[in-house]
Amino acid sequence: MTDLSAAHDAAATDRARLAGSAYNGERDLAARQSLYRWQTPRYDLPGLVAERLGDVRGRVVDIGCGNGTFIQRLRQDRPDLSLLGLDIAPGILAHVPGPVAVADATSLPLAAGSVDGALALHMLYHVPDIPQAVRELARVVTRDGVVVASTNSDRDKAELDELWRLAAGDVLGVGRGPARISLGSRFTLEGAPALLGEEFGRVEVVELPATVTVRDPEPVIAHMASYRAWADQQDVPFDATIDRARTRVADHIARHGAFEITSRAGVLVCRR
């Protein structure tokens, strides 16, 4: 691991940064989620997760529940379930329907075998010790319980990575600037089955390939700007690079009619 990637990993897992800046409210997370409105095919990820919990009865915990997108859907589709939301960021829990609590994924405040289902959706890459978090997931679910995780491929949104490097290069006066921080690189769709397989005998991978097509720069720029909590990790003036990216996307749309982004995400359904 290079010094730069080690620094990026440390920043992606820094609890003070996560709780105090990146997720102290839902604005930045909502900006990242909103990009998928322009995705084809249009996956209903909360619905897919609810389906994977179809045979679960009793208690389900959403670990790293963020702004409560999945809890709200489960409250609607599965009113029979007892739901609990956990997150390390108190600020983002403010509008999540309760009960909720502040908790760390590597030390869950739950008894062994006390939940019938657990969710870890697009969050394990923020955990410093991923194997320990997986052990905790296995500890708290019942023997016949299910864990549903999700993450992105290491090939996800490659066009945004290239856009950042080109815009950064323009700002710095070089061909291509430094790579932006990759939050998901520590827990990719390619690497996740092995990590989860340490505790779960069956790991089903549901891939969700899609293309995001936008005809206005702003959804792209909002997504890129949502990484502001990690601006000090980008090795380039953040606001100037965002502004230059906006110009590049607008020019691309003017020439080609749209800007396309390759989306590669997936859901992992884990059982013993």
Side-chain angles (χ1 to χ4, degrees):
M1 180 181 292
T2 66
D3 290 344
L4 180 59
S5 60
H8 281 185
D9 281 0
T13 60
D14 179 64
R15 181 165 184 164
R17 188 190 301 257
L18 295 172
S21 177
Y23 297 103
N24 66 342
E26 74 162 350
R27 182 193 64 186
D28 290 341
L29 177 58
R32 290 195 284 279
Q33 292 170 334
S34 69
L35 188 64
Y36 297 100
R37 295 176 191 169
W38 290 272
Q39 177 176 274
T40 305
R42 186 80 178 272
Y43 297 108
D44 175 13
L45 188 55
L48 288 172
V49 170
E51 287 176 12
R52 282 353 188 244
L53 296 175
D55 60 350
V56 172
R57 301 291 182 271
R59 192 179 189 196
V60 172
V61 58
D62 186 353
I63 301 160
C65 66
N67 56 6
T69 297
F70 296 92
I71 286 179
Q72 291 177 37
R73 180 60 173 270
L74 286 172
R75 288 203 180 285
Q76 172 187 312
D77 290 5
R78 294 293 308 276
D80 58 301
L81 293 175
S82 175
L83 301 171
L84 171 66
L86 302 177
D87 203 283
I88 64 167
I92 208 167
L93 291 173
H95 301 292
V96 179
V100 297
V102 176
D104 190 314
T106 61
S107 182
L108 295 171
L110 300 169
S114 63
V115 301
D116 304 281
L119 308 180
L121 303 169
H122 277 78
M123 53 73 63
L124 282 169
Y125 41 70
H126 283 311
V127 179
D129 188 342
I130 296 173
Q132 173 58 21
V134 174
R135 286 191 289 271
E136 279 291 271
L137 288 167
R139 182 184 67 81
V140 301
V141 296
T142 58
R143 290 296 305 174
D144 58 350
V146 60
V147 170
V148 183
S150 65
T151 192
N152 296 326
S153 164
D154 58 11
R155 296 173 288 113
D156 181 61
K157 301 183 188 71
E159 295 84 358
L160 293 190
D161 295 331
E162 182 65 7
L163 173 62
W164 176 270
R165 297 197 71 166
L166 291 172
D170 292 343
V171 170
L172 297 175
V174 298
R176 294 167 78 242
R180 65 177 186 152
I181 188 172
S182 174
L183 298 181
S185 62
R186 300 179 63 253
F187 185 75
T188 65
L189 196 58
E190 292 76 14
L195 287 165
L196 294 164
E198 289 295 318
E199 296 292 333
F200 298 95
R202 291 179 288 159
V203 179
E204 174 196 4
V205 180
V206 182
E207 296 190 20
L208 305 173
T211 301
V212 176
T213 304
V214 297
R215 292 176 171 81
D216 182 296
E218 291 314 307
V220 174
I221 299 310
H223 186 284
M224 297 183 79
S226 73
Y227 285 73
R228 183 174 299 278
W230 295 278
D232 62 316
Q233 298 294 310
Q234 309 289 14
D235 299 317
V236 69
F238 187 79
D239 289 327
T241 302
I242 292 292
D243 288 344
R244 181 58 189 158
R246 178 183 285 108
T247 299
R248 275 188 165 272
V249 175
D251 289 348
H252 184 97
I253 292 171
R255 291 195 308 272
H256 303 285
F259 184 82
E260 292 189 345
I261 302 163
T262 303
S263 174
R264 293 290 181 268
V267 172
L268 303 107
V269 184
C270 313
R271 300 177 187 273
R272 286 190 172 85

